[in-house]
Amino acid sequence: MPYPFVLPTTSSFSFTSCFSCESHPSLPLNASTRRGVVREDLKAFKRTPREHQIAKLPTVVSSLIAYLPYLFTVDAGLSQQAINGEEIAVILKTAPVIEWRPTLSDNAAVAVPGKDPARVKVHSLEYEVFFVLSCLANAHTLQARTALHPLYVLSTAPVGTQQRQVAVSAATKNLLDAASIYDYLALRAEGLSSGYGMAPPCADISPAALRAQCSLAMAEATLLAVLKDDPYPAVVAQDRNKNDTEWMYKAPDIPKVRAHLFARLCLAASEHAAQAYSLCAGLARAEGGAKVTEGFLKYLDNLRRTSRAKACRFFGIDSELGGQTGTAIAWLNAGLQELGVERNASEGGSKKSGGFGRLKEKWTEKREDKKVERGLDWGADAGRLEETRVYEMLWEKWSKQNDTIMTQVVPPSGPLLQQMPMGREIHTLKPFQPPQLDPPTLEAMRAPPERSDDAALYPSSDEDDTMIGATIGAFPGTQGHYRTGTPNYF
């Protein structure tokens, strides 16, 4: 948690070959320059080993943000719209042909094992906007993962409470930024689909998938509001951390939580995840065969289940705080059902696997711990394993308490699930505002371009973004970069 998106790559493209601007002649060339930087940064990000990609993520985000104002200005100029009071007159000379490599679309029918999925060609600047913005939203989600990563690392001492809250706040901001972008894209895609009858080139930028990703980001941001003040995952992680020495002189602090409020927040997250799953599951029928990958669908289903299990846990905590230990254990029964964990009905607890089953469970846990240490696709189960560990801790505590002190009857969990209230929202989705060029930059582009656009001179084949070990400057004509000198690039 959050979802480990893979950033797409794209082909080279020259704006000057397809567009001209009478009011601002240098606009197409400047747009090509910024887009070329985005392409190179995405290629460099992809070539980097997964465990080291975190260092390059801010560069990708900054290049995307720098490119967007130019892209939106060209897009506005095609409709003769004004930017900051200046009229932009862009003329389409020929239909653009731009290639993007989708990362969520399921191309199992044509994919070759071990090979990247094929690129899709888009012939409209509208879909260029969709791919660039969705790439930025995915990058924001990856930044949220980067902020949360220290909370799950076991090779160092556990982070403090203040560091934990700072990390959760930073991750929440990134997820809400991503949700705003997805919401903007979904509304724009729905307008294209209903108003112009345009079918998306792939599932990645279809209205249903974009709306689903918006719901996913909202679900994850809502769960972070709970994680910020939820002490139980931190206590479980601290107990498993071999570098923790606090246990020598004090017991873990488990303060009382606003259990009922947290439970309703988890239910709201579950509703968002359920909506995202429903949209993606029905995508094949709605979009004429386009569908997302099975891994993404499984993540959405796991997130829905884990969110409901968290809600059951907090309802159980609320009951236990009120002295109703039997009802608390019944809530744990309900949560285990949501997690899909087997339990022994006669004892009311989780069933401990024996032999090969227990060995496989330990191997799965160790593999997940290694993913966390290396910064790979950790959390791909949407927090299911982490929540299961919390349940095991509470089972041991509450069962012992009920067997020795309270001795209350454990009621069936079915009626409790029927009494669950509606979820409660905590975040308000702010509308995304497309960035615009400032007046001085627009005024400077009224001058004619001082050089030609070289973007079309460089390769755009599939092999171009799969070469490992290539760097800027390894090929003729790529020595320059707009950040360090003459923009002789790509």
Side-chain angles (χ1 to χ4, degrees), residues 91 97 115 134 208 215 248 293 307 327 346 350 355 408 415 490:
I91 299 175
V97 180
K115 185 176 178 62
S134 64
S215 297
M248 296 181 180
T293 61
S307 299
T327 304
S346 62
S350 59
Q408 296 180 0
F490 324 116

Side-chain angles (χ1 to χ4, degrees), residues 32-77:
S32 292
T33 301
R34 297 291 178 172
R35 189 186 189 280
V37 175
V38 169
R39 176 173 178 261
E40 287 298 320
D41 287 342
L42 287 175
K43 286 167 55 180
F45 183 83
K46 180 180 179 180
R47 293 178 185 139
T48 305
R50 296 291 298 274
E51 57 268 26
H52 301 304
Q53 287 181 342
I54 292 177
K56 292 186 177 294
L57 193 56
T59 303
V60 173
V61 172
S62 62
S63 61
L64 287 167
I65 292 176
Y67 170 50
L68 279 174
Y70 294 88
L71 178 59
F72 276 109
T73 301
V74 175
D75 184 54

Side-chain angles (χ1 to χ4, degrees), residues 208-222:
L210 293 170
R211 180 61 63 189
Q213 291 178 81
C214 177
S215 297
L216 170 60
M218 289 298 294
E220 292 169 336
T222 303

